[in-house]
Amino acid sequence: MSQSFEQRRGQKSVDEWASDVSLILDGNTNEGIRASAPGRVEFIGNHTDYNGGWVLGATIDRRVEVVLQRRSDRQIRLQSEAAVPPVEVPLGSVERQSGEWAWANYILGMVEVLQGEGMTIESGFDLRVGSTLPVGAGLSSSAALELASGAALSEAYGGEFLRRDLVRMAQRAENEFVGVPCGLLDQAVVALGGADRLVRLDARSEATAAVPFPPETGIWIFRTHQAHALSESGYQERHDEARAVRERLRELLGNEEAEYLVDVSPSQLEEVKRELSKTLYRRARHVVTEHRRTQRVVQLLKAGRRAAAGRLLFASHESSRVNYENSTEALDFVVDRLAEQEGVLGARLTGAGFGGAAMAWTRAGYGEEQAHEVAGAYADRFGMELETLACRPAPGLYVWT
Ligand code: GLA
């Protein structure tokens, strides 16, 4: 048997992690290759990744798990607990699925990208998917499914990939096969997160670093009734606007070296404000300030200055609301209620926005009672349920061998 994925990476051994990682699917590990990947929250760094900026994220203890068994024929059979019937595709003609089969694209995308990188998938396979991670909540169930299946495939067919390679390949699967122009945040955090840390990504260099997760604090997720739909939503529009304003700023500032929007400083942006449309100014304002807020939060966390870091989480939400216009009335309502509560250090929308979830970073004493207070106010206001999830950072991508 080849060395395990974990051993190759020099990460914690299987035994050290086994107790931390829940087994979601029935059946024992001898029946196939089992891999698991968590969801994530974006702690701060909203829409900075595809603009070359900093992002800080954490894994959460809700996961996707896959079990892969090789077949003797050339059929791919994908089965999800959440969707019947299974998706069946011949290995030689992997095509993008639509409608109720669209969930399979995250796995099929990995099949295509792994083969494109030179890995030979010499037989068909069965792959079962189970999950405790809500879908459509902006918690990166897609990145978790890409990475869990990519790692299982790599283990099954002898791909000698580094964890970091899988991160990039998962992003490519999403960009090229699924068709969402996402940055690297979700995949990097899902793969590199851990129970004790936040993951800091510098999207320009793709360098990552662990920032200790402040002890005796927690994360709560508040899932609104509006599912975010990344590919059809304003995500693509924001992506295009960010590119347009970067081009315009390069011209206006005569700065050809501004490779990314974050290379423009807030004061440079103010100098040319009048030359920009209101919308493009606001988009740029969000990105250049959010990048710097994220850098500041990293410094503040390292210095133990939690209250100051928390205030920047609120400032991030405000900038999303006013400048990037990717918040919703429901998300604003939740963040406003959280801002009034004892024990909330900071709160903001998390991920792409346009629906989905808000997160709160809380002190140890914050609990069910306070979370239910927010949900109660939400039900009164919108007549809908607000799902609340208490989370803690959790092990990242993991493979049993
Ligand atoms: C989604 C994308 C990420 C990132 C965030 C917004 O989660 O997948 O790459 O752009 O939105 O920060």
PDB file of all heavy atoms in Angstrom, residues 273-291:
ATOM      1  N   LYS A 273     -11.500  59.291  -7.061  1.00  0.00           N
ATOM      2  CA  LYS A 273     -12.908  58.942  -6.825  1.00  0.00           C
ATOM      3  C   LYS A 273     -13.851  59.549  -7.857  1.00  0.00           C
ATOM      4  O   LYS A 273     -14.737  58.882  -8.390  1.00  0.00           O
ATOM      5  CB  LYS A 273     -13.272  59.404  -5.411  1.00  0.00           C
ATOM      6  CG  LYS A 273     -14.705  59.172  -5.018  1.00  0.00           C
ATOM      7  CD  LYS A 273     -14.940  59.584  -3.573  1.00  0.00           C
ATOM      8  CE  LYS A 273     -16.415  59.365  -3.243  1.00  0.00           C
ATOM      9  NZ  LYS A 273     -16.726  59.742  -1.870  1.00  0.00           N
ATOM     10  N   ARG A 274     -13.631  60.823  -8.174  1.00  0.00           N
ATOM     11  CA  ARG A 274     -14.549  61.528  -9.076  1.00  0.00           C
ATOM     12  C   ARG A 274     -14.558  61.004 -10.497  1.00  0.00           C
ATOM     13  O   ARG A 274     -15.479  61.263 -11.263  1.00  0.00           O
ATOM     14  CB  ARG A 274     -14.171  62.996  -9.134  1.00  0.00           C
ATOM     15  CG  ARG A 274     -14.545  63.674  -7.867  1.00  0.00           C
ATOM     16  CD  ARG A 274     -14.440  65.121  -8.051  1.00  0.00           C
ATOM     17  NE  ARG A 274     -14.614  65.778  -6.773  1.00  0.00           N
ATOM     18  CZ  ARG A 274     -14.370  67.031  -6.581  1.00  0.00           C
ATOM     19  NH1 ARG A 274     -13.936  67.754  -7.587  1.00  0.00           N
ATOM     20  NH2 ARG A 274     -14.572  67.578  -5.409  1.00  0.00           N
ATOM     21  N   GLU A 275     -13.487  60.327 -10.830  1.00  0.00           N
ATOM     22  CA  GLU A 275     -13.372  59.794 -12.200  1.00  0.00           C
ATOM     23  C   GLU A 275     -14.103  58.459 -12.360  1.00  0.00           C
ATOM     24  O   GLU A 275     -14.181  57.934 -13.459  1.00  0.00           O
ATOM     25  CB  GLU A 275     -11.898  59.564 -12.572  1.00  0.00           C
ATOM     26  CG  GLU A 275     -10.973  60.721 -12.304  1.00  0.00           C
ATOM     27  CD  GLU A 275     -11.258  61.886 -13.245  1.00  0.00           C
ATOM     28  OE1 GLU A 275     -11.632  61.627 -14.397  1.00  0.00           O
ATOM     29  OE2 GLU A 275     -11.129  63.038 -12.785  1.00  0.00           O
ATOM     30  N   LEU A 276     -14.553  57.921 -11.237  1.00  0.00           N
ATOM     31  CA  LEU A 276     -15.179  56.592 -11.281  1.00  0.00           C
ATOM     32  C   LEU A 276     -16.685  56.704 -11.090  1.00  0.00           C
ATOM     33  O   LEU A 276     -17.162  57.617 -10.411  1.00  0.00           O
ATOM     34  CB  LEU A 276     -14.629  55.720 -10.143  1.00  0.00           C
ATOM     35  CG  LEU A 276     -13.141  55.408 -10.161  1.00  0.00           C
ATOM     36  CD1 LEU A 276     -12.732  54.762  -8.828  1.00  0.00           C
ATOM     37  CD2 LEU A 276     -12.800  54.473 -11.310  1.00  0.00           C
ATOM     38  N   SER A 277     -17.410  55.747 -11.650  1.00  0.00           N
ATOM     39  CA  SER A 277     -18.846  55.706 -11.368  1.00  0.00           C
ATOM     40  C   SER A 277     -19.012  55.349  -9.884  1.00  0.00           C
ATOM     41  O   SER A 277     -18.106  54.755  -9.285  1.00  0.00           O
ATOM     42  CB  SER A 277     -19.523  54.638 -12.227  1.00  0.00           C
ATOM     43  OG  SER A 277     -19.150  53.359 -11.747  1.00  0.00           O
ATOM     44  N   LYS A 278     -20.152  55.726  -9.327  1.00  0.00           N
ATOM     45  CA  LYS A 278     -20.393  55.447  -7.897  1.00  0.00           C
ATOM     46  C   LYS A 278     -20.233  53.962  -7.615  1.00  0.00           C
ATOM     47  O   LYS A 278     -19.635  53.559  -6.625  1.00  0.00           O
ATOM     48  CB  LYS A 278     -21.832  55.867  -7.524  1.00  0.00           C
ATOM     49  CG  LYS A 278     -21.951  57.294  -7.098  1.00  0.00           C
ATOM     50  CD  LYS A 278     -23.151  57.420  -6.122  1.00  0.00           C
ATOM     51  CE  LYS A 278     -23.262  58.823  -5.568  1.00  0.00           C
ATOM     52  NZ  LYS A 278     -23.769  59.810  -6.561  1.00  0.00           N
ATOM     53  N   THR A 279     -20.803  53.156  -8.508  1.00  0.00           N
ATOM     54  CA  THR A 279     -20.764  51.700  -8.278  1.00  0.00           C
ATOM     55  C   THR A 279     -19.335  51.185  -8.277  1.00  0.00           C
ATOM     56  O   THR A 279     -18.927  50.476  -7.354  1.00  0.00           O
ATOM     57  CB  THR A 279     -21.580  50.966  -9.367  1.00  0.00           C
ATOM     58  OG1 THR A 279     -22.908  51.475  -9.306  1.00  0.00           O
ATOM     59  CG2 THR A 279     -21.598  49.473  -9.152  1.00  0.00           C
ATOM     60  N   LEU A 280     -18.560  51.557  -9.288  1.00  0.00           N
ATOM     61  CA  LEU A 280     -17.191  51.029  -9.343  1.00  0.00           C
ATOM     62  C   LEU A 280     -16.342  51.553  -8.190  1.00  0.00           C
ATOM     63  O   LEU A 280     -15.502  50.828  -7.641  1.00  0.00           O
ATOM     64  CB  LEU A 280     -16.539  51.332 -10.695  1.00  0.00           C
ATOM     65  CG  LEU A 280     -17.065  50.509 -11.879  1.00  0.00           C
ATOM     66  CD1 LEU A 280     -16.171  50.689 -13.096  1.00  0.00           C
ATOM     67  CD2 LEU A 280     -17.196  49.017 -11.567  1.00  0.00           C
ATOM     68  N   TYR A 281     -16.572  52.800  -7.792  1.00  0.00           N
ATOM     69  CA  TYR A 281     -15.843  53.326  -6.633  1.00  0.00           C
ATOM     70  C   TYR A 281     -16.130  52.463  -5.404  1.00  0.00           C
ATOM     71  O   TYR A 281     -15.220  52.058  -4.676  1.00  0.00           O
ATOM     72  CB  TYR A 281     -16.229  54.790  -6.363  1.00  0.00           C
ATOM     73  CG  TYR A 281     -15.810  55.241  -4.991  1.00  0.00           C
ATOM     74  CD1 TYR A 281     -14.477  55.533  -4.715  1.00  0.00           C
ATOM     75  CD2 TYR A 281     -16.741  55.316  -3.945  1.00  0.00           C
ATOM     76  CE1 TYR A 281     -14.078  55.901  -3.436  1.00  0.00           C
ATOM     77  CE2 TYR A 281     -16.353  55.678  -2.664  1.00  0.00           C
ATOM     78  CZ  TYR A 281     -15.020  55.961  -2.416  1.00  0.00           C
ATOM     79  OH  TYR A 281     -14.622  56.307  -1.153  1.00  0.00           O
ATOM     80  N   ARG A 282     -17.397  52.176  -5.190  1.00  0.00           N
ATOM     81  CA  ARG A 282     -17.773  51.400  -3.997  1.00  0.00           C
ATOM     82  C   ARG A 282     -17.175  49.997  -4.025  1.00  0.00           C
ATOM     83  O   ARG A 282     -16.719  49.494  -3.008  1.00  0.00           O
ATOM     84  CB  ARG A 282     -19.294  51.259  -3.915  1.00  0.00           C
ATOM     85  CG  ARG A 282     -19.977  52.522  -3.513  1.00  0.00           C
ATOM     86  CD  ARG A 282     -21.424  52.190  -3.189  1.00  0.00           C
ATOM     87  NE  ARG A 282     -22.199  53.401  -3.059  1.00  0.00           N
ATOM     88  CZ  ARG A 282     -23.319  53.639  -3.733  1.00  0.00           C
ATOM     89  NH1 ARG A 282     -23.802  52.745  -4.566  1.00  0.00           N
ATOM     90  NH2 ARG A 282     -23.960  54.763  -3.552  1.00  0.00           N
ATOM     91  N   ARG A 283     -17.210  49.365  -5.189  1.00  0.00           N
ATOM     92  CA  ARG A 283     -16.644  48.012  -5.275  1.00  0.00           C
ATOM     93  C   ARG A 283     -15.164  48.036  -4.889  1.00  0.00           C
ATOM     94  O   ARG A 283     -14.689  47.204  -4.121  1.00  0.00           O
ATOM     95  CB  ARG A 283     -16.786  47.438  -6.690  1.00  0.00           C
ATOM     96  CG  ARG A 283     -18.208  47.389  -7.218  1.00  0.00           C
ATOM     97  CD  ARG A 283     -19.136  46.562  -6.356  1.00  0.00           C
ATOM     98  NE  ARG A 283     -20.434  46.454  -6.981  1.00  0.00           N
ATOM     99  CZ  ARG A 283     -21.544  47.059  -6.560  1.00  0.00           C
ATOM    100  NH1 ARG A 283     -21.529  47.787  -5.441  1.00  0.00           N
ATOM    101  NH2 ARG A 283     -22.677  46.926  -7.216  1.00  0.00           N
ATOM    102  N   ALA A 284     -14.452  49.035  -5.438  1.00  0.00           N
ATOM    103  CA  ALA A 284     -13.017  49.128  -5.138  1.00  0.00           C
ATOM    104  C   ALA A 284     -12.799  49.458  -3.663  1.00  0.00           C
ATOM    105  O   ALA A 284     -11.915  48.897  -3.003  1.00  0.00           O
ATOM    106  CB  ALA A 284     -12.369  50.192  -6.017  1.00  0.00           C
ATOM    107  N   ARG A 285     -13.621  50.329  -3.140  1.00  0.00           N
ATOM    108  CA  ARG A 285     -13.501  50.745  -1.736  1.00  0.00           C
ATOM    109  C   ARG A 285     -13.608  49.515  -0.814  1.00  0.00           C
ATOM    110  O   ARG A 285     -12.847  49.361   0.134  1.00  0.00           O
ATOM    111  CB  ARG A 285     -14.601  51.767  -1.450  1.00  0.00           C
ATOM    112  CG  ARG A 285     -14.742  52.200  -0.047  1.00  0.00           C
ATOM    113  CD  ARG A 285     -13.933  53.449   0.266  1.00  0.00           C
ATOM    114  NE  ARG A 285     -13.826  53.583   1.695  1.00  0.00           N
ATOM    115  CZ  ARG A 285     -12.791  54.103   2.320  1.00  0.00           C
ATOM    116  NH1 ARG A 285     -11.773  54.581   1.638  1.00  0.00           N
ATOM    117  NH2 ARG A 285     -12.751  54.175   3.620  1.00  0.00           N
ATOM    118  N   HIS A 286     -14.564  48.664  -1.120  1.00  0.00           N
ATOM    119  CA  HIS A 286     -14.728  47.466  -0.295  1.00  0.00           C
ATOM    120  C   HIS A 286     -13.453  46.614  -0.327  1.00  0.00           C
ATOM    121  O   HIS A 286     -12.924  46.242   0.723  1.00  0.00           O
ATOM    122  CB  HIS A 286     -15.915  46.619  -0.791  1.00  0.00           C
ATOM    123  CG  HIS A 286     -16.065  45.318  -0.055  1.00  0.00           C
ATOM    124  ND1 HIS A 286     -16.468  45.268   1.257  1.00  0.00           N
ATOM    125  CD2 HIS A 286     -15.845  44.029  -0.436  1.00  0.00           C
ATOM    126  CE1 HIS A 286     -16.501  44.000   1.656  1.00  0.00           C
ATOM    127  NE2 HIS A 286     -16.122  43.232   0.645  1.00  0.00           N
ATOM    128  N   VAL A 287     -12.978  46.344  -1.509  1.00  0.00           N
ATOM    129  CA  VAL A 287     -11.850  45.410  -1.634  1.00  0.00           C
ATOM    130  C   VAL A 287     -10.579  45.981  -0.996  1.00  0.00           C
ATOM    131  O   VAL A 287      -9.895  45.285  -0.234  1.00  0.00           O
ATOM    132  CB  VAL A 287     -11.618  45.034  -3.118  1.00  0.00           C
ATOM    133  CG1 VAL A 287     -10.334  44.233  -3.283  1.00  0.00           C
ATOM    134  CG2 VAL A 287     -12.815  44.249  -3.659  1.00  0.00           C
ATOM    135  N   VAL A 288     -10.268  47.259  -1.274  1.00  0.00           N
ATOM    136  CA  VAL A 288      -8.995  47.787  -0.743  1.00  0.00           C
ATOM    137  C   VAL A 288      -9.042  47.931   0.784  1.00  0.00           C
ATOM    138  O   VAL A 288      -8.030  47.725   1.454  1.00  0.00           O
ATOM    139  CB  VAL A 288      -8.534  49.107  -1.420  1.00  0.00           C
ATOM    140  CG1 VAL A 288      -8.410  48.946  -2.931  1.00  0.00           C
ATOM    141  CG2 VAL A 288      -9.442  50.275  -1.100  1.00  0.00           C
ATOM    142  N   THR A 289     -10.218  48.244   1.325  1.00  0.00           N
ATOM    143  CA  THR A 289     -10.285  48.369   2.789  1.00  0.00           C
ATOM    144  C   THR A 289     -10.388  46.992   3.449  1.00  0.00           C
ATOM    145  O   THR A 289      -9.814  46.767   4.506  1.00  0.00           O
ATOM    146  CB  THR A 289     -11.453  49.273   3.244  1.00  0.00           C
ATOM    147  OG1 THR A 289     -12.693  48.726   2.757  1.00  0.00           O
ATOM    148  CG2 THR A 289     -11.292  50.702   2.753  1.00  0.00           C
ATOM    149  N   GLU A 290     -11.089  46.079   2.811  1.00  0.00           N
ATOM    150  CA  GLU A 290     -11.266  44.738   3.403  1.00  0.00           C
ATOM    151  C   GLU A 290      -9.920  43.995   3.500  1.00  0.00           C
ATOM    152  O   GLU A 290      -9.653  43.322   4.499  1.00  0.00           O
ATOM    153  CB  GLU A 290     -12.255  43.938   2.551  1.00  0.00           C
ATOM    154  CG  GLU A 290     -12.583  42.550   3.079  1.00  0.00           C
ATOM    155  CD  GLU A 290     -13.485  42.542   4.319  1.00  0.00           C
ATOM    156  OE1 GLU A 290     -13.804  43.625   4.859  1.00  0.00           O
ATOM    157  OE2 GLU A 290     -13.844  41.438   4.754  1.00  0.00           O
ATOM    158  N   HIS A 291      -9.108  44.142   2.474  1.00  0.00           N
ATOM    159  CA  HIS A 291      -7.768  43.526   2.499  1.00  0.00           C
ATOM    160  C   HIS A 291      -6.985  44.042   3.707  1.00  0.00           C
ATOM    161  O   HIS A 291      -6.374  43.273   4.457  1.00  0.00           O
ATOM    162  CB  HIS A 291      -7.062  43.890   1.181  1.00  0.00           C
ATOM    163  CG  HIS A 291      -5.605  43.574   1.150  1.00  0.00           C
ATOM    164  ND1 HIS A 291      -5.116  42.299   1.307  1.00  0.00           N
ATOM    165  CD2 HIS A 291      -4.511  44.382   0.968  1.00  0.00           C
ATOM    166  CE1 HIS A 291      -3.789  42.328   1.224  1.00  0.00           C
ATOM    167  NE2 HIS A 291      -3.413  43.567   1.023  1.00  0.00           N
TER     168      HIS A 291
END
